[in-house]
Amino acid sequence: MTETVTPSALVIPQLIVGLGNPEPKYDQTRHNIGFAAIEALARSWHISLAENRKFQGEYGEGTAPGGVKIRLLKPLTYMNRSGQSIQAVTSWYKLPPESVLVIYDDLDLPLGKTRLRLSGSAGGHNGMKSAIAHLNTQNFPRLRIGIGKPKDAANNDNSDTVSYVLGKFTSAENQLMSLVLQFVGECVELSLKQGVEKAMNRCNSRTIEVSKS
């Protein structure tokens, strides 16, 4: 049985999805940091996003640094049905699940931390539960962006957590998150050039902080 060990193939994303909720009231909220990441990538790579009814989301395609063909998606199905939009794109272009990189918020990671993984469970995130259900596998890369937890949240007080997640960043946090989104861009570009596994070393080891000059 030893001969079955083979070097793992490079995982290079072809579709990058940011999770969030449509409607102006959700703009710039912690739960929509996935949308913000896609918007930042689109600006950086000069890719225009437009609503695509077939894909149930805002969609755009273009060329990332290094000449890589890339697709960007913001599902407009609301968070808990994100997988419908993702599946519409993967089915249309016949993309394998492992070529889908999903970017989303994580309460369990502190502000300034990001975590890139090749696979894993939803960890209680409704958008990821939907993505896993529609892709029919947990084996696709994901990049979690830490949003921290409410400082005074009681252990079992779900209402505090919901209002925190659906709340907006403070001005100080916004300053930090703009640096985080720059770093997310670097992580994604490294994933495209050298594969997700290589990018994990860089993306998972650094904490972004606002320099106090």
Side-chain angles (χ1 to χ4, degrees), residues 85-161:
S85 173
I86 298 170
Q87 187 186 40
V89 179
T90 56
S91 296
W92 183 259
Y93 291 110
K94 297 181 171 53
L95 301 175
E98 63 271 16
S99 72
V100 181
L101 172 62
V102 181
I103 303 176
Y104 61 103
D105 60 296
D106 191 338
L107 271 169
D108 293 322
L109 279 179
L111 285 162
K113 286 297 282 185
T114 53
R115 189 73 78 238
L116 183 62
R117 299 270 308 274
L118 281 165
S119 63
S121 70
H125 193 285
N126 288 333
M128 282 302 284
K129 285 179 189 172
S130 178
I132 288 167
H134 282 83
L135 290 173
N136 206 26
T137 180
Q138 294 188 356
N139 295 326
F140 57 90
R142 69 282 314 272
L143 200 170
R144 292 178 287 142
I145 298 175
I147 60 167
K149 283 186 171 160
K151 290 182 178 65
D152 51 356
N155 290 339
N156 299 316
D157 192 347
N158 194 42
S159 61
D160 268 7
T161 302

Coordinates of all heavy atoms in Angstrom, one line a residue, residues 85-161:
S85 N -25.6 30.0 -5.7 CA -24.9 30.8 -6.6 C -23.6 30.2 -7.1 O -23.2 30.2 -8.2 CB -24.7 32.2 -6.0 OG -23.9 33.0 -6.8
I86 N -22.9 29.7 -6.1 CA -21.6 29.1 -6.3 C -21.7 27.9 -7.3 O -21.0 27.7 -8.3 CB -20.9 28.6 -5.0 CG1 -20.6 29.8 -4.1 CG2 -19.6 27.8 -5.3 CD1 -20.2 29.4 -2.7
Q87 N -22.8 27.1 -7.0 CA -23.0 25.9 -7.8 C -23.4 26.3 -9.3 O -23.0 25.6 -10.2 CB -24.1 25.0 -7.2 CG -24.3 23.7 -7.9 CD -25.5 22.9 -7.4 OE1 -26.5 23.5 -7.1 NE2 -25.3 21.6 -7.3
A88 N -24.1 27.4 -9.4 CA -24.5 27.8 -10.7 C -23.3 28.1 -11.6 O -23.2 27.8 -12.8 CB -25.4 29.1 -10.6
V89 N -22.3 28.8 -11.0 CA -21.0 29.1 -11.7 C -20.2 27.8 -12.0 O -19.8 27.6 -13.1 CB -20.2 30.1 -11.0 CG1 -18.9 30.4 -11.7 CG2 -21.0 31.4 -10.7
T90 N -20.0 27.0 -11.0 CA -19.2 25.8 -11.2 C -19.8 24.8 -12.2 O -19.1 24.2 -13.0 CB -19.0 25.0 -9.8 OG1 -20.2 24.7 -9.2 CG2 -18.1 25.9 -8.9
S91 N -21.2 24.7 -12.2 CA -21.8 23.8 -13.1 C -21.7 24.4 -14.6 O -21.4 23.6 -15.5 CB -23.3 23.7 -12.8 OG -23.5 23.1 -11.5
W92 N -21.9 25.7 -14.7 CA -21.8 26.3 -16.0 C -20.4 26.2 -16.7 O -20.3 25.8 -17.8 CB -22.2 27.8 -15.9 CG -22.2 28.5 -17.3 CD1 -21.3 29.3 -17.8 CD2 -23.3 28.5 -18.2 NE1 -21.6 29.8 -19.0 CE2 -22.9 29.3 -19.3 CE3 -24.5 27.8 -18.3 CZ2 -23.7 29.5 -20.4 CZ3 -25.3 28.0 -19.4 CH2 -24.9 28.8 -20.5
Y93 N -19.4 26.4 -15.9 CA -18.0 26.3 -16.4 C -17.3 25.0 -16.1 O -16.1 24.8 -16.4 CB -17.2 27.5 -15.8 CG -17.6 28.8 -16.3 CD1 -18.2 29.7 -15.4 CD2 -17.4 29.2 -17.6 CE1 -18.6 31.0 -15.9 CE2 -17.8 30.5 -18.1 CZ -18.4 31.3 -17.2 OH -18.8 32.6 -17.6
K94 N -18.1 24.0 -15.5 CA -17.5 22.7 -15.2 C -16.2 22.8 -14.4 O -15.2 22.2 -14.7 CB -17.3 21.9 -16.5 CG -18.6 21.6 -17.3 CD -18.4 20.8 -18.5 CE -19.7 20.4 -19.2 NZ -20.7 21.5 -19.4
L95 N -16.3 23.6 -13.3 CA -15.2 23.8 -12.4 C -15.2 22.7 -11.3 O -16.2 22.5 -10.7 CB -15.2 25.2 -11.8 CG -15.1 26.4 -12.8 CD1 -15.3 27.7 -12.0 CD2 -13.8 26.4 -13.6
P96 N -14.1 22.1 -11.0 CA -14.0 21.2 -9.8 C -14.1 22.0 -8.5 O -13.6 23.1 -8.5 CB -12.7 20.5 -10.0 CG -11.8 21.4 -10.8 CD -12.7 22.2 -11.7
P97 N -14.7 21.4 -7.5 CA -14.8 22.1 -6.2 C -13.4 22.6 -5.7 O -13.4 23.8 -5.1 CB -15.3 21.0 -5.2 CG -16.1 20.1 -6.1 CD -15.3 20.0 -7.4
E98 N -12.4 21.9 -5.9 CA -11.1 22.4 -5.3 C -10.5 23.6 -6.0 O -9.6 24.2 -5.6 CB -10.0 21.2 -5.4 CG -9.7 20.7 -6.8 CD -10.5 19.6 -7.2 OE1 -11.6 19.4 -6.6 OE2 -10.1 18.9 -8.2
S99 N -11.2 24.0 -7.1 CA -10.8 25.3 -7.8 C -11.5 26.5 -7.3 O -11.3 27.6 -7.8 CB -10.9 25.1 -9.3 OG -12.3 25.2 -9.6
V100 N -12.4 26.3 -6.3 CA -13.2 27.4 -5.7 C -12.6 27.8 -4.4 O -12.5 27.0 -3.5 CB -14.7 26.9 -5.5 CG1 -15.5 28.0 -4.9 CG2 -15.3 26.4 -6.8
L101 N -12.2 29.1 -4.3 CA -11.7 29.7 -3.1 C -12.8 30.5 -2.5 O -13.2 31.5 -3.1 CB -10.4 30.5 -3.3 CG -9.9 31.3 -2.1 CD1 -9.5 30.4 -1.0 CD2 -8.7 32.2 -2.6
V102 N -13.2 30.2 -1.3 CA -14.3 31.0 -0.6 C -13.7 31.8 0.5 O -12.9 31.3 1.3 CB -15.4 30.0 -0.1 CG1 -16.5 30.9 0.6 CG2 -15.9 29.1 -1.2
I103 N -14.0 33.1 0.5 CA -13.5 34.1 1.5 C -14.7 34.5 2.4 O -15.8 34.9 1.9 CB -12.9 35.3 0.8 CG1 -11.8 34.9 -0.1 CG2 -12.4 36.3 1.9 CD1 -11.1 36.0 -0.9
Y104 N -14.5 34.4 3.7 CA -15.6 34.8 4.6 C -15.1 35.2 6.0 O -13.9 35.0 6.3 CB -16.6 33.6 4.7 CG -16.1 32.3 5.3 CD1 -16.3 31.9 6.6 CD2 -15.3 31.5 4.5 CE1 -15.8 30.8 7.1 CE2 -14.8 30.3 5.0 CZ -15.1 29.9 6.3 OH -14.5 28.8 6.8
D105 N -16.0 35.7 6.8 CA -15.7 36.2 8.1 C -15.7 35.1 9.1 O -16.4 34.1 9.0 CB -16.8 37.2 8.6 CG -18.2 36.6 8.6 OD1 -18.7 36.2 7.5 OD2 -18.8 36.4 9.7
D106 N -14.9 35.3 10.2 CA -14.8 34.2 11.2 C -14.7 34.9 12.6 O -13.8 35.7 12.9 CB -13.5 33.4 11.0 CG -13.5 32.1 11.9 OD1 -14.2 32.2 13.0 OD2 -12.8 31.2 11.6
L107 N -15.7 34.6 13.4 CA -15.8 35.2 14.8 C -14.7 34.6 15.7 O -14.2 35.3 16.7 CB -17.1 34.7 15.5 CG -18.3 35.6 15.3 CD1 -19.5 34.8 15.8 CD2 -18.2 36.9 16.1
D108 N -14.2 33.4 15.4 CA -13.2 32.8 16.3 C -11.8 33.2 16.0 O -10.9 32.8 16.7 CB -13.4 31.2 16.2 CG -14.7 30.7 16.8 OD1 -15.1 31.3 17.8 OD2 -15.3 29.8 16.2
L109 N -11.6 34.0 15.0 CA -10.3 34.5 14.7 C -10.3 36.0 15.1 O -11.2 36.7 14.8 CB -9.9 34.5 13.2 CG -9.4 33.1 12.6 CD1 -9.2 33.3 11.1 CD2 -8.2 32.7 13.3
P110 N -9.2 36.4 15.8 CA -9.2 37.8 16.2 C -9.0 38.8 15.0 O -8.5 38.3 13.9 CB -7.9 37.9 17.1 CG -7.1 36.7 16.8 CD -8.1 35.7 16.3
L111 N -9.3 40.0 15.2 CA -9.1 41.0 14.1 C -7.6 41.0 13.8 O -6.7 41.0 14.7 CB -9.5 42.4 14.6 CG -11.0 42.7 14.7 CD1 -11.2 43.9 15.6 CD2 -11.5 42.9 13.3
G112 N -7.3 41.1 12.5 CA -5.9 41.1 12.1 C -5.3 39.7 11.7 O -4.2 39.6 11.2
K113 N -6.1 38.7 12.0 CA -5.7 37.3 11.6 C -6.5 36.8 10.4 O -7.6 37.1 10.3 CB -5.9 36.4 12.8 CG -4.9 36.5 13.9 CD -3.4 36.3 13.6 CE -3.1 34.8 13.5 NZ -1.6 34.6 13.2
T114 N -5.8 36.1 9.6 CA -6.4 35.4 8.5 C -6.0 33.9 8.5 O -4.9 33.6 9.1 CB -6.0 35.9 7.1 OG1 -4.6 36.0 7.0 CG2 -6.5 37.4 6.9
R115 N -6.8 33.0 8.0 CA -6.5 31.6 8.0 C -6.9 31.0 6.7 O -8.1 31.0 6.3 CB -7.3 30.9 9.1 CG -6.8 29.5 9.4 CD -5.5 29.4 10.1 NE -5.5 29.6 11.5 CZ -4.7 30.6 12.1 NH1 -4.0 31.3 11.4 NH2 -4.8 30.7 13.4
L116 N -5.9 30.5 5.9 CA -6.1 29.8 4.6 C -6.0 28.3 4.8 O -5.1 27.8 5.4 CB -5.1 30.3 3.6 CG -5.2 29.9 2.2 CD1 -6.5 30.3 1.5 CD2 -4.0 30.4 1.4
R117 N -7.0 27.6 4.3 CA -7.1 26.1 4.5 C -7.5 25.5 3.2 O -8.2 26.1 2.4 CB -8.1 25.7 5.5 CG -7.9 26.2 6.9 CD -7.0 25.3 7.8 NE -7.5 23.9 7.8 CZ -8.4 23.4 8.6 NH1 -9.0 24.2 9.5 NH2 -8.7 22.2 8.6
L118 N -7.0 24.3 3.0 CA -7.4 23.5 1.7 C -8.8 22.9 1.8 O -9.4 22.6 0.8 CB -6.3 22.4 1.5 CG -5.0 22.9 0.8 CD1 -4.0 21.8 0.9 CD2 -5.3 23.3 -0.6
S119 N -9.2 22.6 3.1 CA -10.5 22.0 3.3 C -11.0 22.2 4.7 O -10.2 22.8 5.5 CB -10.4 20.5 2.9 OG -9.5 19.9 3.8
G120 N -12.1 21.7 5.1 CA -12.6 21.8 6.5 C -14.1 21.9 6.6 O -14.8 22.0 5.6
S121 N -14.6 21.9 7.8 CA -16.0 22.0 8.1 C -16.5 23.4 8.0 O -15.7 24.3 7.8 CB -16.3 21.4 9.5 OG -15.8 22.3 10.4
A122 N -17.8 23.6 8.1 CA -18.4 25.0 8.0 C -18.1 25.7 9.3 O -18.2 27.0 9.3 CB -19.9 24.9 7.8
G123 N -17.8 25.1 10.4 CA -17.5 25.8 11.6 C -18.7 26.6 12.1 O -18.5 27.7 12.7
G124 N -19.9 26.2 11.8 CA -21.1 27.0 12.2 C -21.4 28.2 11.3 O -22.4 28.9 11.6
H125 N -20.7 28.4 10.2 CA -21.0 29.5 9.3 C -22.0 29.1 8.3 O -21.8 28.2 7.5 CB -19.7 29.9 8.6 CG -19.7 31.3 8.0 ND1 -20.4 31.4 6.8 CD2 -19.3 32.5 8.3 CE1 -20.3 32.7 6.4 NE2 -19.6 33.4 7.3
N126 N -23.2 29.8 8.3 CA -24.3 29.4 7.4 C -23.9 29.5 5.9 O -24.4 28.6 5.1 CB -25.5 30.2 7.7 CG -26.1 29.9 9.0 OD1 -26.0 28.7 9.5 ND2 -26.8 30.8 9.7
G127 N -23.1 30.4 5.5 CA -22.7 30.5 4.2 C -21.9 29.3 3.7 O -22.1 28.8 2.6
M128 N -21.0 28.9 4.6 CA -20.2 27.8 4.3 C -20.9 26.5 4.3 O -20.7 25.5 3.6 CB -19.0 27.7 5.3 CG -17.9 28.7 4.9 SD -17.2 28.4 3.2 CE -16.2 27.0 3.5
K129 N -21.9 26.4 5.2 CA -22.8 25.2 5.3 C -23.4 25.0 3.9 O -23.5 23.9 3.3 CB -23.9 25.3 6.3 CG -23.4 25.1 7.8 CD -24.5 25.3 8.7 CE -24.0 25.4 10.2 NZ -25.1 25.7 11.1
S130 N -23.9 26.1 3.3 CA -24.6 26.1 2.0 C -23.6 25.7 0.9 O -23.9 25.0 0.0 CB -25.3 27.4 1.8 OG -25.9 27.5 0.5
A131 N -22.4 26.3 1.0 CA -21.4 26.0 0.0 C -21.0 24.5 0.0 O -20.9 23.9 -1.1 CB -20.1 26.9 0.2
I132 N -20.8 24.0 1.2 CA -20.5 22.6 1.3 C -21.6 21.7 0.8 O -21.4 20.7 0.0 CB -20.1 22.2 2.8 CG1 -18.8 22.9 3.1 CG2 -20.1 20.7 3.0 CD1 -18.4 22.9 4.6
A133 N -22.8 22.1 1.1 CA -24.0 21.3 0.7 C -24.1 21.3 -0.9 O -24.4 20.2 -1.5 CB -25.3 21.8 1.3
H134 N -23.9 22.4 -1.5 CA -24.1 22.5 -2.9 C -22.9 22.0 -3.7 O -23.1 21.5 -4.9 CB -24.4 24.0 -3.3 CG -25.9 24.3 -3.1 ND1 -26.3 24.7 -1.8 CD2 -27.0 24.3 -3.9 CE1 -27.6 25.0 -1.9 NE2 -28.0 24.7 -3.1
L135 N -21.7 22.1 -3.2 CA -20.5 21.6 -3.9 C -20.4 20.1 -3.5 O -19.6 19.4 -4.1 CB -19.3 22.3 -3.5 CG -19.2 23.7 -4.0 CD1 -18.0 24.5 -3.4 CD2 -19.1 23.8 -5.5
N136 N -21.1 19.6 -2.5 CA -21.2 18.2 -2.1 C -19.8 17.7 -1.6 O -19.5 16.5 -1.8 CB -21.7 17.4 -3.3 CG -22.3 16.1 -2.9 OD1 -22.9 16.0 -1.8 ND2 -22.3 15.0 -3.7
T137 N -19.1 18.6 -1.0 CA -17.8 18.2 -0.5 C -17.3 19.3 0.4 O -17.7 20.5 0.3 CB -16.7 17.9 -1.6 OG1 -15.5 17.6 -1.0 CG2 -16.5 19.2 -2.5
Q138 N -16.4 19.0 1.4 CA -15.7 20.0 2.2 C -14.3 20.3 1.6 O -13.6 21.2 2.1 CB -15.5 19.5 3.6 CG -16.7 19.2 4.4 CD -16.5 18.9 5.8 OE1 -15.3 18.7 6.3 NE2 -17.5 18.8 6.6
N139 N -14.0 19.6 0.5 CA -12.6 19.7 0.0 C -12.5 20.8 -1.1 O -12.3 20.6 -2.3 CB -12.2 18.3 -0.6 CG -12.0 17.3 0.4 OD1 -11.7 17.6 1.6 ND2 -12.4 16.1 0.1
F140 N -12.6 22.0 -0.6 CA -12.3 23.2 -1.4 C -11.6 24.2 -0.5 O -11.9 24.3 0.7 CB -13.5 23.7 -2.1 CG -14.6 24.1 -1.2 CD1 -14.8 25.4 -0.7 CD2 -15.6 23.1 -0.8 CE1 -15.8 25.7 0.2 CE2 -16.6 23.5 0.1 CZ -16.7 24.8 0.6
P141 N -10.7 25.1 -1.1 CA -10.0 26.0 -0.2 C -10.9 27.1 0.3 O -11.9 27.5 -0.3 CB -8.9 26.5 -1.1 CG -9.3 26.2 -2.5 CD -10.2 25.1 -2.4
R142 N -10.5 27.6 1.5 CA -11.2 28.8 2.0 C -10.3 29.7 2.8 O -9.3 29.2 3.3 CB -12.4 28.3 3.0 CG -12.0 27.6 4.3 CD -11.6 26.2 4.2 NE -12.4 25.3 3.3 CZ -13.5 24.7 3.8 NH1 -13.8 24.8 5.0 NH2 -14.1 23.9 2.9
L143 N -10.6 31.0 2.8 CA -9.8 32.0 3.5 C -10.7 32.7 4.4 O -11.6 33.4 4.0 CB -9.2 32.9 2.4 CG -7.9 33.7 2.9 CD1 -7.3 34.5 1.7 CD2 -8.2 34.7 4.0
R144 N -10.4 32.5 5.7 CA -11.2 33.1 6.8 C -10.6 34.4 7.2 O -9.4 34.4 7.4 CB -11.4 32.1 8.0 CG -12.2 30.9 7.6 CD -12.3 30.0 8.8 NE -11.1 29.2 9.0 CZ -10.6 28.9 10.2 NH1 -11.2 29.3 11.3 NH2 -9.4 28.2 10.3
I145 N -11.4 35.4 7.4 CA -10.9 36.7 7.9 C -11.4 36.9 9.3 O -12.7 36.9 9.5 CB -11.4 37.9 6.9 CG1 -10.8 37.6 5.5 CG2 -10.9 39.2 7.5 CD1 -11.3 38.7 4.5
G146 N -10.6 37.1 10.2 CA -11.0 37.3 11.6 C -11.7 38.6 11.8 O -11.3 39.6 11.4
I147 N -12.9 38.5 12.5 CA -13.6 39.7 12.9 C -13.7 39.8 14.4 O -14.3 40.8 14.9 CB -15.1 39.7 12.3 CG1 -15.9 38.5 12.7 CG2 -15.0 39.8 10.7 CD1 -17.4 38.6 12.4
G148 N -13.1 38.9 15.1 CA -13.1 39.0 16.6 C -14.5 38.7 17.2 O -15.5 38.5 16.4
K149 N -14.6 38.8 18.5 CA -15.9 38.6 19.2 C -16.2 39.8 19.9 O -15.3 40.6 20.3 CB -15.7 37.4 20.1 CG -15.8 36.1 19.5 CD -15.8 34.9 20.5 CE -16.1 33.6 19.8 NZ -15.7 32.5 20.6
P150 N -17.5 40.1 20.2 CA -17.9 41.2 21.0 C -17.2 41.1 22.4 O -17.3 40.0 23.0 CB -19.4 41.1 21.1 CG -19.8 39.8 20.6 CD -18.7 39.3 19.8
K151 N -16.7 42.2 22.9 CA -15.9 42.1 24.1 C -16.7 41.7 25.3 O -16.3 40.9 26.1 CB -15.3 43.5 24.4 CG -14.2 43.9 23.4 CD -13.6 45.3 23.8 CE -12.5 45.7 22.9 NZ -12.9 45.9 21.5
D152 N -18.0 42.2 25.4 CA -18.8 41.9 26.6 C -19.9 40.9 26.3 O -20.8 40.8 27.1 CB -19.4 43.2 27.1 CG -20.1 43.9 26.0 OD1 -20.1 43.5 24.8 OD2 -20.8 45.0 26.3
A153 N -19.7 40.1 25.3 CA -20.7 39.1 25.0 C -20.7 38.0 26.0 O -19.7 37.4 26.3 CB -20.5 38.5 23.6
A154 N -21.9 37.7 26.5 CA -22.0 36.6 27.5 C -21.9 35.3 26.7 O -22.2 35.2 25.5 CB -23.4 36.6 28.2
N155 N -21.4 34.2 27.3 CA -21.2 33.0 26.6 C -22.4 32.5 25.8 O -22.2 31.9 24.8 CB -20.8 31.9 27.7 CG -19.4 32.2 28.2 OD1 -18.6 32.9 27.6 ND2 -19.1 31.6 29.4
N156 N -23.6 32.6 26.4 CA -24.7 32.0 25.7 C -25.7 33.1 25.1 O -26.8 32.8 24.7 CB -25.5 31.2 26.7 CG -24.7 30.0 27.2 OD1 -24.0 29.4 26.5 ND2 -24.8 29.8 28.5
D157 N -25.2 34.3 25.0 CA -26.1 35.4 24.5 C -25.9 35.5 23.0 O -25.1 36.2 22.5 CB -25.8 36.7 25.2 CG -26.9 37.7 24.9 OD1 -27.7 37.4 24.0 OD2 -26.9 38.8 25.6
N158 N -26.8 34.8 22.3 CA -26.8 34.8 20.8 C -27.1 36.1 20.2 O -26.6 36.5 19.2 CB -27.7 33.7 20.3 CG -27.4 33.4 18.8 OD1 -26.3 33.3 18.4 ND2 -28.5 33.2 18.0
S159 N -28.0 36.9 20.9 CA -28.4 38.2 20.3 C -27.3 39.1 20.2 O -27.2 39.9 19.3 CB -29.6 38.7 21.1 OG -29.2 39.0 22.4
D160 N -26.4 39.1 21.2 CA -25.2 40.0 21.2 C -24.3 39.7 20.0 O -23.8 40.5 19.3 CB -24.4 39.8 22.5 CG -24.8 40.7 23.6 OD1 -25.8 41.5 23.4 OD2 -24.1 40.8 24.6
T161 N -24.1 38.4 19.8 CA -23.3 37.9 18.7 C -23.9 38.3 17.4 O -23.1 38.8 16.5 CB -23.1 36.4 18.8 OG1 -22.5 36.1 20.1 CG2 -22.2 35.9 17.7

